[in-house]
Amino acid sequence: MSNAEFKRNFAKVLEKAGAKAEMVVRAAGMELLKRVIEKSPVGDPSMWKNPESAPKGYVGGRFKANWNVAIGSVDHAIDAPPDESGASSIGRGSRVVMSFPLGAVVFITNSMPYSKRIEYDAWSKQATAGVVRITVLEYKEIIKQVAAQIK
């Protein structure tokens, strides 16, 4: 789907939502964020080619914990402590999603050094097709579901 086509489809959904358009946008943003985080793999040395290579005291969940949501530019922070559940990313991100001005450009990003390998190189057996690309393919359906729920 082209960017122009996406904008036209999105505008149609918002037009149908009328006065509740802001609610639709925020709810869809939250759903996107949650789905990306839920799909994110958590390091499990037992699944690695060389399990004994895990550093002493290794704890998985750094990738899942370092999803960032920012308005207008990318947040490159990678300092969140490991969180296998992703609750910390959802909590931080929800504050931004629920407060951004409509029409603003919102970035959902993960700047961990291996994020591109997870997304494009099947680096994780838990996410062989990545996480963002799959969620983007679900976006049209997310908008429809959210709009129907908010009516």
Side-chain angles (χ1 to χ4, degrees):
M1 173 184 307
S2 72
N3 193 29
E5 185 180 13
F6 173 80
K7 286 181 180 180
R8 281 193 303 276
N9 289 341
F10 192 64
K12 287 178 189 176
V13 170
L14 292 181
E15 185 179 318
K16 287 180 185 177
K20 296 183 179 183
E22 183 174 347
M23 292 171 63
V24 170
V25 170
R26 293 192 192 290
M30 281 304 305
E31 187 61 26
L32 277 171
L33 176 64
K34 287 178 185 175
R35 287 188 186 199
V36 165
I37 293 168
E38 287 169 358
K39 288 177 178 71
S40 295
V42 174
D44 179 356
S46 70
M47 297 177 79
W48 297 358
K49 288 180 185 173
N50 189 2
E52 51 281 344
S53 68
K56 186 177 180 181
Y58 174 81
V59 177
R62 288 195 67 217
F63 182 73
K64 196 169 249 193
N66 279 284
W67 282 101
N68 298 303
V69 182
I71 301 167
S73 63
V74 174
D75 178 348
H76 293 284
I78 56 170
D79 56 357
D83 176 12
E84 292 183 18
S85 73
S88 62
S89 290
I90 292 171
R92 285 189 324 274
S94 67
R95 288 188 286 280
V96 177
V97 170
M98 299 316 268
S99 66
F100 72 86
L102 288 184
V105 176
V106 178
F107 293 86
I108 299 174
T109 58
N110 193 314
S111 294
M112 293 302 292
Y114 45 85
S115 61
K116 286 183 182 176
R117 290 188 283 186
I118 288 173
E119 187 63 32
Y120 297 108
D121 298 338
W123 200 52
S124 170
K125 292 177 186 174
Q126 299 169 49
T128 56
V131 295
V132 175
R133 292 173 296 160
I134 294 170
T135 306
V136 167
L137 291 173
E138 299 167 350
Y139 191 64
K140 188 175 180 180
E141 190 58 37
I142 290 169
I143 291 290
K144 284 181 185 177
Q145 289 173 355
V146 167
Q149 291 170 355
I150 292 178
K151 277 188 177 180

